[in-house]
């Protein structure tokens, strides 16, 4: 393009040069096998040279005067906008293209005059300076126009339209681990960004209609050696737009010190927000920014990637720093899932990052991303370990009232129920982590049905966690003085454990054998409970010498009384016990009923002769109904009962 | 690439270090020697920094290459410090007095240093912006013959450059950053080349109301030289390393544009002169402090040698473009002078182009190293804590 600018010959010698050049160009143009590009260049050149020669021909060496006229014309076109309050590109395409033509003309004149300035003709020098002055005014103006266009046609987009925050079907636990003993865990459902949005969505950060305008400004500024000015203006506007968008997403800059001091609930929501913002910023905003840079500056070598890097660097570093701060923080167990979210998001975005910052200058950013990913991975493992430690060290001073499902159990099971969602990541991270010598029990010796899932690293660790939990629950059960209640507690808790496993994807990782084994376990505790509670009660109803037909009345009376007292005692205590699961409660009542009611009925039936006696305090029906009151969670007494 | 040079030398030092540590074998006398060696290396390194000749611009105090050397030394000292603290000693020592108090304080300082690193990284983005503007000035003045047009182009870039460099720390830190507009308000504009106002971007902030000066001031909290018997034990390297860390951060903040630096010169290091290693640091502190006081009143973007040159040359060239516009033309002598200045500015830009990114990468490396040491120390404390009170 520069080469085509028509010079302004003023001297004889130059005229000869022009004529010679013209001749050569014509000769070259006649060649047959020319590429289209080359042919076009020659045609352009030909016309420029013709113009010069015709000027000379018609005006006879009055080239300078002609140049001055051309400059006057261009100057009028350029300077008239300096007093116009309107922006050129706002005034219409005709105005814009006229302006660009005038700029182009001035540029050509500057180049032409400069090429000849060795002759130190005073007049010529004066014209050159004037032309350059006008040219500077135009360039300065173009810079302003560029900024104006970018600002005016910059488009905000709603993050919600871009990335639906789809609801992850699970329940998210945000409470801190320490709160376990204090209160039952609330199940809070929260929105979470799912990972399945893989399609890139690119938006127009600047209205598509004005891209050609920006390109035309870029073209003229770069050809005129004003590329740096273009870049500075472009970068500042776009950088600011990104920052505005960044704060629009609700992300604020936080110092590392602030992050480390932050309360868990606040940190958790910030971590969530980070995950979300990171995705939008990288996959939507930066991808779009990259496209814009390429659209506008493509074909200018590394300029596009330079501008992109300058625009995005500060914001990226800001996001990375939050990640670093989080990864540095204390590795509390409740952080695990949020950390995994962050890790997965980053891992997921790595490829985008590597593409966006593929040039050498961007390798710094690439490297920071990879480092942060590693750090988040380490941090997640540390939180995972802390989770296990927290489970085994969670101590209680007092038995958990009623023998129901312990909050620790609830917390842990609801928490690990989330793990299958992070299956791949956890497997990757836990691959080299050994659950520890103490956990040999967790090795699956489950025979041939061991599937792939039950033997993956995560499965080992899951079983290791539940076995930690189980031993802690055993420890907690020792706090009950009543052996029967110990069994109720363990039955409840193991039943809960199994239910949680069976009712979620966890079952795939624990395997059928584990479930069978634990089913058997809580059933065993149910049986142990029955034995511990009812054996002594039912023993009153046993016939000591089955050979004889009936016992003596006094023995009967004694037995009846003993049974009543024992039964009332059990009733009083065990109505306050609790079996939260209705099915389990029902099953236990039925099996107790079968044992006790049947024995009682047989006992009374065998001693029909005495049954009218007042010593029979409870009818079979009374006993049967009373059994329904057990495990309701509130203590009752048979003496005050209506049925009495 | 300088980064690899540095790495090679650094790894070399580390491996020597390891051998020493292994050979030491817990011997108390060796341990003392070890501590001595550490402070000897520290004083050697900082003496080298202090004696940097001012007349060779490449090595001048607070030049980019000087700062890189400073950071290089910081990394070396840090590695040796960790060696002394963790490799050669009974790990349980760090949980016993006085270290049980000094280590957490040190870690607290480390976290503060991280924020300073980030602030400085942000500041380097501004420096890079100055460089780009200066490059425009150079490219405008490079063209021959120099005319009104180029002079205006140069002046425009110079105006942006000078106003960007003179932006008051305080002003740009928080309030202004939020409300910005690109409107040039075309009506009634008199100047032919409007210069867009320079704004400091939001992302250049560490956090709202964050102050580099306060941060460094806070790093000096509880920073007192070990006294009596403590002086011969591990308390002394912890103290030494703390002073180094505070000094390095302080020097970076003085050199590079940073959020809120009011009161930077008032920060004192409680480093007693009788300690051998401390002398050079005190010397450097005084030297830089003097410079800072001189500049503080005028308001400065930072003491970075290249930036000071840029400011000086910028002023000269600004005068040149002014006189150009006033007279319409200039004498050959003036043109030559301007060309020389412009060439100097070009050289400064070249040095920035070469050095700024490596410096930024190095600061990031310092950042990661501090994080790593912090993690290792926390783990060690955790380990000691566990073994002393086993879980039930």
């Amino acid at each position: 393009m520069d080469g085509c600018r028509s010079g302004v010959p003023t001297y004889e010698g130059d005229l000869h040069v022009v004529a010679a050049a013209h001749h050569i160009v014509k000769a070259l143009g006649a060649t047959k096998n020319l590429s289209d590009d080359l042919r076009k260049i020659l045609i352009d050149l030909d016309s420029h040279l013709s113009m010069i020669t015709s000027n000379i021909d018609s005006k006879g060496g009055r080239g300078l005067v002609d140049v001055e006229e051309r400059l006057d014309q261009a100057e009028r076109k350029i300077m008239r906008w300096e007093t116009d309050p309107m922006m050129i590109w706002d005034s219409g395409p005709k105005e814009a293209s006229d302006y660009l033509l005038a700029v182009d003309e001035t540029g050509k004149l500057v180049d032409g005059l400069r090429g000849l300035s060795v002759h130190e003709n005073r007049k010529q020098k004066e014209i050159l300076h004037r032309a350059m002055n006008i040219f500077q005014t135009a360039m300065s103006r173009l810079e302003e126009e560029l900024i104006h266009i970018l600002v005016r046609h910059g488009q905000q987009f709603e993050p919600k339209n871009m990335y639906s925050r789809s609801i992850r079907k699970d329940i998210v636990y945000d409470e801190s681990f320490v709160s376990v003993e204090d209160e039952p865990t609330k199940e809070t459902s929260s929105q979470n960004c799912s990972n399945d949005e893989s399609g890139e969505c690119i938006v127009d950060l600047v209205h598509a209609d004005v891209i050609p305008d920006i390109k035309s400004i870029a073209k003229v500024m770069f050809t005129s050696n004003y590329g740096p000015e273009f870049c500075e203006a472009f970068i500042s506007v776009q950088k600011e737009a990104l920052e505005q968008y960044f704060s629009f997403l609700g992300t604020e800059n936080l110092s590392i010190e602030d992050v480390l001091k932050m309360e868990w609930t606040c940190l958790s929501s910030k971590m969530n927000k980070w995950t979300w913002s990171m995705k939008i910023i990288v996959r939507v905003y930066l991808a779009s920014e990259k496209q814009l840079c390429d659209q506008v500056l493509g074909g200018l070598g590394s300029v596009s990637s330079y501008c992109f890097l300058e625009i995005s660097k500060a914001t990226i570093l800001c996001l990375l720093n939050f990640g670093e701060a989080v990864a540095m923080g204390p590795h509390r167990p409740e952080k695990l899932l949020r950390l995994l979210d962050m890790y997965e998001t980053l891992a997921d975005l790595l490829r985008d990052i590597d593409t966006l910052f593929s040039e050498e200058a961007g390798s710094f950013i690439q490297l920071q991303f990879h480092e942060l990913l590693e750090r988040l991975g380490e941090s997640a493992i540390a939180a995972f370990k802390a989770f296990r430690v927290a489970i085994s060290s969670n101590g209680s001073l007092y038995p958990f009232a009623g023998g129901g499902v312990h909050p620790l159990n609830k917390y842990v099971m609801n928490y690990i129920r989330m793990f299958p969602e992070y299956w791949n990541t956890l497997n990757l991270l836990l691959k080299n982590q050994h659950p520890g010598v103490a956990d040999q029990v967790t090795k699956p010796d489950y025979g041939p049905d061991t599937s792939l899932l039950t033997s993956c690293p995560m499965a080992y660790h899951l079983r290791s966690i539940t076995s930690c939990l189980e031993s802690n629950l055993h420890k907690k059960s020792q706090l009950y003085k009543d052996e029967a209640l110990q069994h109720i507690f363990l039955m409840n808790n193991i039943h809960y454990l199994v239910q949680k496993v069976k009712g979620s994807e966890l079952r795939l990782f624990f395997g059928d054998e584990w479930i069978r084994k634990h089913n058997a376990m809580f059933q065993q505790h149910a049986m142990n409970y029955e034995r511990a509670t009812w054996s002594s009660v039912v023993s009153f109803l046993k016939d000591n010498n089955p050979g004889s037909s009936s016992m003596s009345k006094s023995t009967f009376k004694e037995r009846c009384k003993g049974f009543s007292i024992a039964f009332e005692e059990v009733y009083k205590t065990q109505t306050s016990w609790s079996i939260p699961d209705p099915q389990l409660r029902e099953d236990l009542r039925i099996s107790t009923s079968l044992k006790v009611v049947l024995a009682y009925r047989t006992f009374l039936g065998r001693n029909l002769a005495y049954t009218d006696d007042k010593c029979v305090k409870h009818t079979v029906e009374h006993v049967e109904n009373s059994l329904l009151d057990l495990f309701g969670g509130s203590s009752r007494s048979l003496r005050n009962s209506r049925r009495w | 690439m300088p980064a690899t040079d540095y790495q090679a030398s650094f790894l070399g030092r580390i491996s020597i270090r390891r051998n020493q540590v292994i050979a030491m074998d817990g011997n108390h006398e060796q341990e003392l020697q070890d501590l001595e060696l550490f402070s000897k290396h520290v004083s050697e390194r900082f003496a080298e920094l202090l004696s940097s000749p001012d007349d060779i611009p490449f090595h001048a105090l607070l030049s980019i290459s000087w700062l890189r050397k400073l950071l290089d030394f910081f990394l070396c000292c840090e590695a040796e410090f960790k060696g002394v603290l963790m490799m050669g000693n009974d790990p349980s020592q760090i949980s016993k007095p006085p270290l049980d108090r000094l280590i957490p304080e040190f870690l607290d300082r480390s976290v503060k240093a991280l924020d300073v690193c980030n602030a400085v990284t942000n500041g380097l983005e501004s420096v890079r912006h100055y460089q780009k503007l200066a490059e425009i000035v150079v490219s405008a003045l490079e063209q021959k013959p120099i005319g009104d047009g180029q002079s205006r182009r140069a002046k425009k870039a110079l105006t942006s450059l000078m106003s960007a460099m003179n932006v008051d720390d305080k002003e740009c830190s928080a309030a202004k950053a939020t409300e910005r507009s690109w409107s040039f308000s075309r009506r009634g504009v008199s100047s032919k080349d409007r210069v867009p106002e320079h704004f400091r971007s939001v992302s250049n902030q560490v956090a709202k109301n964050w102050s580099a000066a306060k941060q460094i001031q806070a790093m000096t909290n509880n920073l007192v030289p070990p006294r009596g018997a403590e002086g011969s034990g591990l308390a002394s390297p912890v103290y030494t390393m703390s002073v180094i860390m505070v000094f390095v951060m302080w020097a970076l903040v003085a050199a590079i544009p940073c959020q809120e630096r009011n009161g930077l010169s008032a920060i004192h290091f409680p480093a007693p002169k009788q300690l051998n290693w401390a002398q050079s640091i005190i010397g450097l502190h005084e030297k830089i402090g003097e410079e800072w006081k001189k500049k503080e009143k005028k308001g400065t973007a930072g003491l970075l040698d290249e930036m000071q040159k840029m400011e000086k040359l910028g002023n000269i060239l600004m005068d040149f473009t002014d006189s150009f516009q006033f007279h319409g033309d200039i004498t050959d002598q003036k043109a030559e002078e301007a060309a020389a200045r412009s060439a100097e500015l070009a050289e400064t830009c070249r040095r920035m182009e070469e050095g700024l990114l490596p410096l930024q990468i190095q600061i990031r490396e310092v950042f990661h190293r501090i994080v790593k040491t912090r993690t290792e120390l926390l783990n060690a404390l955790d380990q000691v804590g566990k073994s002393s009170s086993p879980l039930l």
Side-chain angles (χ1 to χ4, degrees):
Chain A
M1 169 120 203
D2 287 77
C4 299
R5 284 186 169 165
S6 33
V8 186
T10 41
Y11 291 90
E12 199 83 357
D14 297 321
L15 294 178
H16 288 302
V17 174
V18 171
H22 201 180
H23 195 73
I24 294 167
V25 169
K26 278 205 183 308
L28 280 173
T31 327
K32 281 203 175 94
N33 30 348
L34 283 177
S35 72
D36 288 350
D37 284 348
L38 193 51
R39 191 177 298 280
K40 194 180 170 300
I41 290 169
L42 288 173
I43 290 169
D44 280 351
L45 201 50
D46 186 29
S47 68
H48 285 302
L49 290 169
S50 313
M51 193 174 78
I52 296 167
T53 348
S54 71
N55 280 344
I56 297 159
D57 289 347
S58 61
K59 289 163 188 167
R62 292 179 60 247
L64 254 189
V65 178
D66 177 61
V67 165
E68 225 178 337
E69 272 170 25
R70 281 164 66 190
L71 188 59
D72 285 346
Q73 236 178 9
E75 184 181 25
R76 271 195 300 280
K77 284 186 187 166
I78 289 169
M79 296 313 285
R80 99 168 162 84
W81 287 104
E82 290 305 294
T83 48
D84 197 316
M86 282 290 286
M87 293 305 278
I88 304 167
W89 265 259
D90 284 353
S91 311
K94 171 90 176 44
E95 273 70 16
S97 69
D98 273 359
Y99 193 82
L100 283 178
L101 276 177
V103 175
D104 191 43
E105 175 82 347
T106 317
K108 279 175 186 165
L109 293 171
V110 168
D111 283 352
L113 286 161
R114 191 183 279 148
L116 302 173
S117 63
V118 278
H119 298 289
E120 282 299 337
N121 176 306
R122 204 179 154 271
K123 174 73 178 162
Q124 185 186 308
K125 208 172 156 190
E126 200 186 293
I127 299 177
L128 172 62
H129 283 166
R130 213 184 103 212
M132 281 167 74
N133 212 347
I134 297 167
F135 198 63
Q136 165 63 23
T137 305
M139 286 296 140
S140 189
R141 179 58 187 251
L142 285 177
E143 196 185 320
E144 274 176 53
E145 293 283 337
L146 168 71
I147 291 170
H148 178 76
I149 294 172
L150 287 172
V151 171
R152 177 148 182 230
H153 300 279
Q155 311 213 100
Q156 283 275 1
F157 63 90
E158 282 283 319
K160 277 172 193 120
N161 300 341
M162 300 318 308
Y163 259 72
S164 56
R165 289 180 109 181
S166 60
I167 296 163
R168 219 170 190 170
K169 57 189 177 296
D170 49 66
I171 293 145
V172 173
Y173 267 81
D174 270 349
E175 296 123 72
S176 65
F177 200 90
V178 283
S179 67
V180 161
E181 274 287 356
D182 309 336
E183 54 192 84
T185 44
K186 313 183 279 279
E187 303 200 342
T188 43
S189 160
S190 99
Q191 289 188 326
N192 206 328
C193 204
S194 82
N195 295 323
D196 49 49
E197 305 112 335
S198 50
E200 263 188 34
C201 23
I202 288 180
V203 294
D204 290 325
L205 293 181
V206 174
H207 201 285
D209 290 351
V210 299
I211 298 290
D213 297 339
I214 300 171
K215 272 173 90 167
S216 63
I217 294 176
K219 195 177 152 200
V220 66
M221 286 184 79
F222 273 91
T223 11
S224 317
N225 209 13
Y226 276 71
E229 273 97 336
F230 182 93
C231 289
E232 283 305 298
F234 185 76
I235 291 166
S236 351
V237 180
Q238 290 307 103
K239 192 173 170 188
E240 195 203 328
L242 172 56
E243 276 159 20
Q244 265 173 4
Y245 189 71
F246 193 59
S247 55
F248 174 68
L249 289 180
T251 328
E252 55 180 322
N253 292 7
L254 294 165
S255 71
I256 290 175
E257 230 184 342
D258 289 345
V259 175
L260 290 181
K261 282 183 197 150
M262 203 172 274
E263 289 276 318
W264 164 242
T265 39
C266 181
L267 183 62
S268 168
S269 84
K270 293 252 186 284
M271 285 165 90
N272 250 341
K273 186 158 259 167
W274 184 91
T275 308
W276 182 65
S277 313
M278 194 66 159
K279 274 184 204 169
I280 295 173
I281 293 279
V282 171
R283 206 161 263 165
V284 186
Y285 200 103
L286 291 185
S288 309
E289 189 72 63
K290 179 82 176 167
Q291 183 190 263
L292 177 68
C293 289
D294 285 344
Q295 275 175 344
V296 173
L297 301 161
L300 288 167
S302 60
V303 177
S304 167
S305 56
Y306 159 73
C307 286
F308 175 72
L309 183 64
E310 294 296 313
I311 292 165
S312 51
K313 199 178 189 179
T315 303
I316 286 282
L317 283 177
C318 192
L319 278 167
L320 285 170
N321 277 332
F322 178 80
E324 290 284 352
V326 168
M328 270 173 69
H331 307 302
R332 282 195 296 260
E334 59 268 24
K335 259 169 95 175
L336 180 57
L337 292 184
R338 291 286 85 79
L339 279 170
L340 289 174
D341 280 336
M342 287 173 75
Y343 181 92
E344 286 192 344
T345 303
L346 215 55
D348 203 34
L349 291 174
L350 269 195
R351 230 174 353 157
D352 302 65
I353 291 295
D354 289 350
T355 322
L356 288 173
F357 299 97
S358 55
E359 278 80 10
E360 207 204 322
S363 59
F364 172 63
I365 298 286
Q366 263 190 46
L367 187 73
Q368 299 306 313
F369 263 91
H370 286 266
E371 289 209 18
L372 177 59
L373 183 72
E374 205 176 301
R375 202 105 38 195
L376 285 173
E378 289 164 5
S379 193
I381 290 175
F384 192 92
K385 286 182 182 161
F387 182 53
R388 276 197 41 191
V389 171
I391 294 168
S392 39
S393 61
N394 176 276
S396 312
L397 289 175
Y398 306 101
F400 183 62
V405 179
H406 196 273
L408 174 71
N409 192 2
K410 282 189 189 167
Y411 184 91
V412 171
M413 290 316 287
N414 282 313
Y415 204 84
I416 67 171
R417 219 152 55 94
M418 250 56 104
F419 287 7
E421 297 249 1
Y422 302 92
W423 177 53
N424 279 321
T425 305
L426 276 172
N427 266 347
L428 189 75
L429 293 174
L430 295 172
K431 208 162 53 190
N432 303 315
Q433 302 293 319
H434 302 291
V437 197
D439 306 295
Q440 292 298 326
V441 279
T442 61
K443 286 258 166 71
D445 47 352
Y446 296 144
D449 76 327
T450 308
S451 73
L452 209 63
L453 287 181
T454 54
S455 56
C456 71
M458 187 179 92
Y460 281 112
H461 284 269
L462 278 174
R463 287 191 294 265
S464 148
I465 284 175
T466 51
S467 85
C468 269
L469 177 63
E470 282 170 51
S471 51
N472 191 317
L473 290 170
H474 272 280
K475 244 189 309 182
K476 291 193 192 308
S477 76
Q478 300 303 309
L479 296 168
Y480 297 107
K481 287 196 189 85
D482 191 330
E483 192 203 337
L485 187 51
Q486 288 179 6
H487 289 298
I488 288 291
F489 176 75
L490 286 172
M491 177 196 73
N492 273 330
N493 281 284
I494 292 171
H495 177 262
Y496 181 83
L497 208 92
V498 177
Q499 286 310 109
K500 282 288 167 183
V501 169
K502 268 162 75 179
S504 71
E505 280 183 85
L506 286 176
R507 67 181 180 282
L508 304 172
F509 297 93
F510 279 86
D512 294 341
E513 192 51 43
W514 185 94
I515 294 173
R516 259 197 294 282
K517 215 172 133 187
H518 283 76
N519 268 333
M521 239 184 243
F522 82 76
Q523 279 157 9
Q524 184 62 49
H525 284 298
M527 277 154 63
N528 291 348
Y529 151 78
E530 283 179 13
R531 207 191 50 232
T533 299
W534 296 106
S535 294
S536 58
V537 181
V538 172
S539 67
F540 287 106
L541 312 175
K542 287 245 170 78
D543 205 345
N544 284 345
N545 33 338
S548 65
S549 56
S550 62
M551 57 180 71
S552 66
K553 188 169 179 183
S554 64
T555 315
F556 176 76
K557 263 177 111 168
E558 206 177 292
R559 295 283 185 94
C560 251
K561 200 177 167 199
F563 174 78
S564 298
I565 291 167
F567 185 75
E568 282 163 20
E569 189 52 40
V570 167
Y571 182 89
K572 196 182 156 198
T573 340
Q574 301 199 359
T575 43
S576 72
W577 295 2
S578 120
I579 301 179
D581 186 81
Q583 187 63 47
L584 185 64
R585 194 165 58 226
E586 193 57 28
D587 286 353
L588 195 64
R589 278 174 184 160
I590 288 169
S591 99
T592 310
S593 209
L594 276 175
K595 199 174 177 184
V596 180
V597 176
L598 199 69
Y600 194 48
R601 185 174 284 135
T602 315
F603 171 73
L604 291 183
R606 212 178 273 167
N607 301 293
L608 265 176
Y610 317 126
T611 45
D612 290 339
D613 199 289
K614 272 199 168 176
C615 65
V616 183
K617 269 175 111 178
H618 304 280
T619 64
V620 175
E621 286 68 34
H622 275 150
V623 170
E624 204 169 356
N625 289 331
S626 302
L627 283 174
L628 293 179
D629 294 338
L630 299 186
F631 316 120
S634 55
S635 182
R636 299 164 80 157
S637 166
L638 274 178
R639 287 188 194 89
N640 305 330
S641 163
R642 284 179 284 110
R643 264 168 294 173
W644 200 233
Chain B
M1 195 177 151
T4 50
D5 287 352
Y6 139 77
Q7 229 163 23
S9 71
F10 167 68
L11 285 177
R13 285 174 220 221
I14 286 295
S15 66
I16 294 166
R17 179 88 221 129
R18 281 234 170 84
N19 293 337
Q20 287 165 347
V21 170
I22 289 159
M24 198 168 72
D25 212 7
N27 184 309
H28 185 65
E29 246 170 67
Q30 282 281 350
E31 198 180 295
L32 283 179
Q33 272 178 25
D34 221 47
L35 294 178
E36 249 166 55
L37 207 62
F38 172 65
S39 60
K40 185 170 163 267
H41 285 161
V42 170
S43 58
E44 276 169 9
R45 285 178 188 133
F46 280 88
E48 195 182 328
L49 286 168
L50 182 61
S51 65
S52 275
D54 275 341
D55 46 336
I56 306 168
F58 195 68
H59 298 295
L61 186 73
L62 294 179
S63 64
I64 293 174
S65 63
W66 188 89
L67 285 176
R68 292 189 57 197
K69 206 167 169 187
L70 174 72
L71 294 179
D72 186 6
F73 288 167
F74 173 83
L75 289 169
C76 293
C77 293
E78 210 269 351
E80 281 191 29
F81 164 69
K82 210 160 72 183
V84 170
L85 196 63
M86 291 167 81
M87 285 197 276
N89 290 286
D90 169 17
S92 66
Q93 276 207 41
I94 57 171
S95 65
K96 288 177 191 152
L99 290 190
D100 63 335
R101 175 177 55 86
L102 295 175
I103 295 279
E105 281 171 12
F106 178 77
L107 294 178
D108 199 44
R109 239 167 251 140
S110 298
V111 171
K112 290 186 163 71
L114 293 177
D115 280 324
V116 176
C117 282
N118 283 337
V120 171
T121 304
N122 294 340
L124 283 176
E125 289 293 298
S126 306
V127 180
R128 196 150 162 75
H129 179 65
Y130 308 155
Q131 181 205 333
K132 292 292 154 189
L133 291 169
E135 278 170 4
I136 295 176
V137 176
V138 170
S139 128
L141 296 177
E142 236 167 31
Q143 292 186 30
K144 296 280 161 359
I146 180 91
D148 196 24
Q150 276 94 342
S151 142
R152 270 176 47 211
R153 183 184 180 192
K155 191 181 154 75
K156 186 181 176 209
L158 278 169
T159 314
S160 298
L161 174 64
M162 301 314 264
S163 75
M165 293 212 319
N166 286 313
V167 169
D168 182 35
D169 292 335
K170 199 174 180 178
E171 222 179 305
C172 66
S173 58
K176 236 181 174 178
T178 42
E179 26 154 342
R180 274 182 285 180
S181 81
W182 280 104
S183 71
F184 286 88
S185 75
R186 295 213 36 96
R187 273 165 234 271
V189 195
S190 55
S191 158
K192 275 191 272 187
D193 304 287
R194 281 159 294 265
V195 178
E197 225 182 308
H198 177 80
F199 294 103
R200 180 174 287 208
S201 61
V202 188
S203 55
N204 275 3
Q205 284 184 51
V206 173
K208 251 188 206 167
N209 304 325
W210 190 87
S211 152
K214 277 188 199 142
Q215 190 84 348
I216 290 176
Q217 182 72 62
M219 283 175 78
T220 62
N221 282 351
N222 311 318
L223 186 57
V224 281
R227 260 172 257 156
E230 280 181 11
S232 62
L234 284 176
S236 97
V238 174
Y239 169 72
T240 307
M241 198 57 221
S242 294
V243 171
I244 294 173
M245 191 184 271
V246 176
F247 172 73
V248 168
M249 294 305 143
W250 178 83
L252 285 173
V253 169
I256 294 162
C258 232
Q259 189 179 344
E260 197 46 84
R261 294 183 288 189
N262 271 341
L264 193 65
S265 59
I267 294 168
H268 293 288
F269 296 106
K273 271 213 157 125
Q274 64 268 26
L275 290 172
N276 222 358
W277 59 266
Q279 283 168 12
S280 305
I281 295 183
I282 293 167
L284 284 167
H285 180 236
E286 281 168 359
K287 222 165 152 183
I288 299 170
E290 279 305 305
E291 282 294 298
W292 180 261
K293 268 181 213 154
K294 269 190 253 165
K295 295 276 167 182
E296 201 175 33
K297 286 175 202 118
K298 284 195 285 173
T300 181
L303 296 177
L304 186 72
D305 186 56
E306 281 80 359
M307 261 162 54
Q308 297 209 59
K309 279 220 170 57
M310 204 170 246
E311 201 176 352
K312 207 178 81 198
L313 294 167
N315 279 325
I316 297 171
L317 291 171
M318 189 75 118
D319 287 347
F320 170 74
T321 56
D322 283 345
S323 72
F324 199 99
Q325 282 188 312
F326 189 71
H327 300 295
D329 209 345
I330 39 143
T331 60
D332 285 352
Q333 193 202 343
K334 272 206 158 175
E336 261 169 48
E337 154 102 19
R341 296 302 174 210
S342 166
E344 267 184 67
L345 189 58
E347 169 61 20
T348 308
C349 287
R350 198 188 55 73
R351 246 184 277 141
M352 285 180 154
E353 179 67 33
E354 265 176 19
L356 282 181
L357 190 62
L359 180 61
Q360 200 166 21
I361 290 172
Q362 216 176 348
I363 289 173
R364 201 68 190 164
E365 194 178 343
V366 166
F367 177 95
H368 287 314
R369 179 75 76 74
I370 295 174
V371 171
K372 200 166 164 236
T373 302
R374 182 180 172 273
T375 310
E376 284 171 16
L377 278 171
L378 283 175
N379 285 344
L381 284 174
D382 200 36
Q383 221 57 45
V384 174
K386 258 183 208 159
S387 59
S388 60
S389 60
L391 288 163
L392 291 168

